[in-house]
Amino acid sequence: FSAKALAGKKLLITAGPTFEAIDPVRGITNLSSGKMGFAIARASQAAGAEVTLVAGPVHVPTPRGVRRIDVQSAQDMLQAVLAHIDGADVFVATAAVADWRPAQAADQKIKKDGSGEVPQLAFVENPDILATVAQLPRAQSGDLYCVGFAAESENLLANAQAKRLRKQIPLLVGNIGPATFGKDDNALLLVDAQGHKELPHASKAVLGEQLVAEIAKRIAR
Ligand code: C5P
């Protein structure tokens, strides 16, 4: 692991869950801890990169030297990403972005009125942040290297390959093994145009360093 592997490179990383408001005190989120994205941020900073981390609501300390931008919703996250993508060399999307959000967040707390009636929530689809970034001209020309993650419960390799092509990104990283959310360790399956490679079970800190080395290799060639 080289302290210079990413010298002079700018990385933008998303991490954690998003929080989609129902009303001012309630919302929908998921169990993503942000640990994998924060580990990648730490490792790329240590490898010499200038790192901006766009984080949903998480309880993980900010790695030293990393610029962190806190957001709540998928729409906030997309806005923050687009505001900081100019000049980035690598975009790594580890965030577990909510696929849907309540169509309308209520202005006031929704009250239980004693009638036994329950609120009906309607949903709309959230923007796909990774797919949006992957469509930018600098991504399409290869100047902005996009890395996506996938949490698949079955047929990881086939699903990861399909997702890589669907999102039009050069590298897709699959979480091997179930229930990685919140854990301190994982195993990863890297899928790119050349084939696939496994990073065996290890701490997310170690996997972050290994993945950064793999990314550095790919943007150097
Ligand atoms: O399609 P799926 O949600 O499985 O794709 C996962 C990948 O896409 C992850 O890298 C995730 O961060 C990214 N993603 C995103 N915006 C979304 C949904 C997923 O950036 N709305």
Side-chain angles (χ1 to χ4, degrees):
F1 183 70
S2 155
K4 294 209 178 77
L6 289 178
K9 301 294 182 188
K10 287 190 179 160
L11 267 80
L12 184 60
I13 301 170
T14 66
T18 63
F19 177 92
E20 311 295 334
I22 294 172
D23 69 19
V25 296
R26 302 186 183 95
I28 291 168
T29 187
N30 62 66
L31 292 174
S32 167
S33 65
K35 284 174 185 170
M36 194 66 239
F38 276 59
I40 295 166
R42 182 187 305 276
S44 34
Q45 200 275 337
E50 185 184 319
V51 182
T52 302
L53 179 58
V54 179
V58 295
H59 303 277
V60 192
T62 310
R64 183 189 298 272
V66 167
R67 171 167 63 167
R68 170 172 171 182
I69 298 161
D70 287 320
V71 297
Q72 282 212 322
S73 68
Q75 289 175 298
D76 298 342
M77 187 175 275
L78 175 62
Q79 238 179 31
V81 163
L82 292 179
H84 293 89
I85 198 72
D86 284 356
D89 300 290
V90 181
F91 176 64
V92 186
T94 71
V97 181
D99 290 315
W100 308 280
R101 66 175 181 272
Q104 219 147 27
D107 291 337
Q108 306 292 331
K109 183 184 173 193
I110 301 170
K111 284 205 161 59
K112 194 159 69 171
D113 64 7
S115 71
E117 242 176 75
V118 296
Q120 303 293 320
L121 287 179
F123 289 90
V124 293
E125 201 167 308
N126 266 330
D128 188 320
I129 299 167
L130 174 57
T132 304
V133 170
Q135 290 309 309
L136 295 175
R138 288 183 58 253
Q140 294 279 317
S141 72
D143 292 334
L144 170 60
Y145 190 83
C146 292
V147 182
F149 270 71
E152 300 287 346
S153 48
E154 51 183 13
N155 296 329
L156 180 60
L157 179 58
N159 281 322
Q161 284 168 330
K163 189 164 292 188
R164 189 185 82 80
L165 295 174
R166 185 153 29 86
K167 302 222 181 196
Q168 295 184 33
I169 54 174
L171 179 61
L172 195 288
V173 182
N175 289 310
I176 300 176
T180 170
F181 276 23
K183 292 217 179 123
D184 286 321
D185 48 57
N186 198 3
L188 300 176
L189 179 69
L190 277 52
V191 177
D192 67 8
Q194 270 69 46
H196 60 93
K197 171 177 184 172
E198 192 175 326
L199 300 182
H201 192 266
S203 70
K204 286 182 178 176
V206 166
L207 288 171
E209 294 182 354
Q210 293 174 339
L211 181 58
V212 161
E214 295 287 341
I215 291 171
K217 233 175 18 193
R218 285 168 174 76
I219 63 174
R221 70 186 175 208

